[in-house]
Amino acid sequence: MGPSTAAENLPVGLLEPISRDLGVSVSAVGLLVTGYGGTVAVASVPLAHGVRTVPRRHVLTGVLGALAVSSAAAALATSYGVLLAARLLTALAQALFWAVMGPVAVGLFAPGVRGRVVGALSVAGSLALVLGVPFGTWLGRWSRWQLPVATLAVPALVSLATIAALLPTSRPEQEPAAYARRPDIRRFATVLAASALSATGAFTGYTYLVKFLGEVGGFSPGALDSLLVAFGVACLAGVTLTGAVLDRRPRAALSTAIATQAVGMLGLYTLGDRPVAAVLFLTLMGGALGPVFMTTQNAMLWCAPGRTDIALAANSGLYNAGIAAGAALGGLVLSLTDVRTTFLTGGLATAAAYGVLLTERLLDGRPASSG
């Protein structure tokens, strides 16, 4: 998960240098996030369905190979169009990654600890935020943006070699986690809706986080590096803590993560011009961003009405549709008002996601905090 997560989020810290180098607006570079998310959204389910009979070992090595190639192509890009095309190839690789990797990984362990396995996978993604985005931002500032983009090929190749050597070849439908433990079509639909809304909310603001912290928070470029590290550390802490309780309280873990994200974003909108408060609410948002996706993916392993790989692809697709919608919505808000309002808009969308979960709980007759 680490290389694909770093590839997805790295442009967030490099918006301005890419904009200057390629001669396009910051909003246009933000579309690199939109186009990426949109591609994953459209391609996830069709690709997962297309490779449903292919051994997972072959699929994963192909995915990681595509990530390495696309990272190299992006680093060599001399125009916005070439960079966008490379990003779209990376997105196609990620469209398959979670759908395939999730069932493979959790299927190696007993059903009672699968939440912790999902948590461990998410830790890798959080480490990509802790190390990848701030390191890439720093490296892009002190060299050129192409260098951090190119470095993404290295972990992809290492992962490819590991999987090719160690993962056995087996039929996908015979894997232990190929089907959910408690299929539930209403729960499935509810989680998908909450996933899409929360992603829309998060990336309405997060896409323009560096701009927000500089203009609203008044932080210096040097401080921005530290804040991005703090954001990633909070994400890592969030997925670690959530993973520890995910097997016991899967529903509460999801609703808590989304509620925390809403509080963090609305707090940044309200008090983001006060440095101490900005750091506090930034930490809350970071602590929720990883757990939201992690808990929705875990829910797919419980409630999918059919094959879990297709359900995971559907959730990943809708989450990335939310990423695309959020980045586009943030760009629209930015062009009409200011960067601060992107966090108000994102916070309200996240609150709507919590409302979807709460409505399902009320229909089921269970309190919102139940597991």
Side-chain angles (χ1 to χ4, degrees):
M1 183 179 175
S4 63
T5 302
E8 179 175 9
N9 292 289
L10 188 58
V12 171
L14 299 173
L15 291 178
E16 293 187 358
I18 294 174
S19 170
R20 289 194 301 269
D21 197 32
L22 298 183
V24 296
S25 67
V26 170
S27 295
V29 181
L31 289 175
L32 293 174
V33 179
T34 306
Y36 191 106
T39 300
V40 175
V42 172
S44 289
V45 172
L47 285 176
H49 188 267
V51 301
R52 67 191 182 281
T53 62
V54 180
R56 308 292 87 171
R57 177 170 171 262
H58 300 331
V59 176
L60 285 172
T61 53
V63 162
L64 291 164
L67 177 58
V69 170
S70 62
S71 297
L76 296 172
T78 57
S79 69
Y80 179 80
V82 173
L83 179 59
L84 179 59
R87 288 279 296 169
L88 296 183
L89 177 58
T90 306
L92 290 174
Q94 184 179 326
L96 269 178
F97 183 84
W98 249 112
V100 175
M101 192 63 189
V104 168
V106 301
L108 299 174
F109 297 86
V113 299
R114 287 177 178 174
R116 273 177 276 177
V117 177
V118 174
L121 290 174
S122 297
V123 166
S126 299
L127 285 173
L129 283 175
V130 173
L131 302 176
V133 174
F135 176 73
T137 302
W138 175 84
L139 194 59
R141 182 178 298 125
W142 292 106
S143 58
R144 298 189 68 191
W145 61 266
Q146 288 90 344
L147 182 58
V149 172
T151 59
L152 294 173
V154 177
L157 290 172
V158 172
S159 299
L160 187 157
T162 303
I163 287 173
L166 300 179
L167 188 67
T169 302
S170 60
R171 294 176 63 85
E173 67 274 12
Q174 295 175 344
E175 294 173 355
Y179 295 93
R181 298 171 65 183
R182 300 175 186 173
D184 184 336
I185 188 66
R186 188 171 74 179
R187 177 65 177 168
F188 175 70
T190 298
V191 173
L192 289 180
S195 179
L197 276 170
S198 63
T200 300
F203 281 82
T204 298
Y206 179 66
T207 305
Y208 303 97
L209 179 61
V210 171
K211 186 176 180 66
F212 175 91
L213 293 173
E215 293 185 4
V216 178
F219 294 100
S220 67
L224 291 179
D225 293 336
S226 299
L227 289 173
L228 288 173
V229 171
F231 186 94
V233 169
C235 186
L236 176 60
V239 298
T240 301
L241 294 173
T242 304
V245 302
L246 197 51
D247 290 305
R248 300 192 304 273
R249 307 277 297 207
R251 289 174 178 259
L254 173 55
S255 58
T256 299
I258 290 180
T260 302
Q261 179 179 299
V263 170
M265 297 195 73
L266 293 173
L268 282 169
Y269 166 72
T270 304
L271 298 171
D273 56 349
R274 302 179 185 182
V276 174
V279 172
L280 172 62
F281 288 113
L282 179 69
T283 302
L284 285 177
M285 183 183 173
L289 188 61
V292 169
F293 183 66
M294 176 181 72
T295 51
T296 58
Q297 290 290 82
N298 181 67
M300 296 294 103
L301 297 171
W302 281 81
C303 69
R307 282 263 297 264
T308 54
D309 55 352
I310 303 300
L312 288 166
N315 184 57
S316 178
L318 280 174
Y319 189 88
N320 279 276
I323 291 176
L329 179 59
L332 176 63
V333 171
L334 185 61
S335 66
L336 294 176
T337 57
D338 54 31
V339 70
R340 190 170 192 165
T341 310
T342 63
F343 281 81
L344 171 62
T345 307
L348 293 176
T350 306
Y354 182 80
V356 169
L357 296 177
L358 182 61
T359 300
E360 187 214 8
R361 291 302 180 85
L362 294 175
L363 291 174
D364 285 347
R366 289 192 292 258
S369 61
S370 68

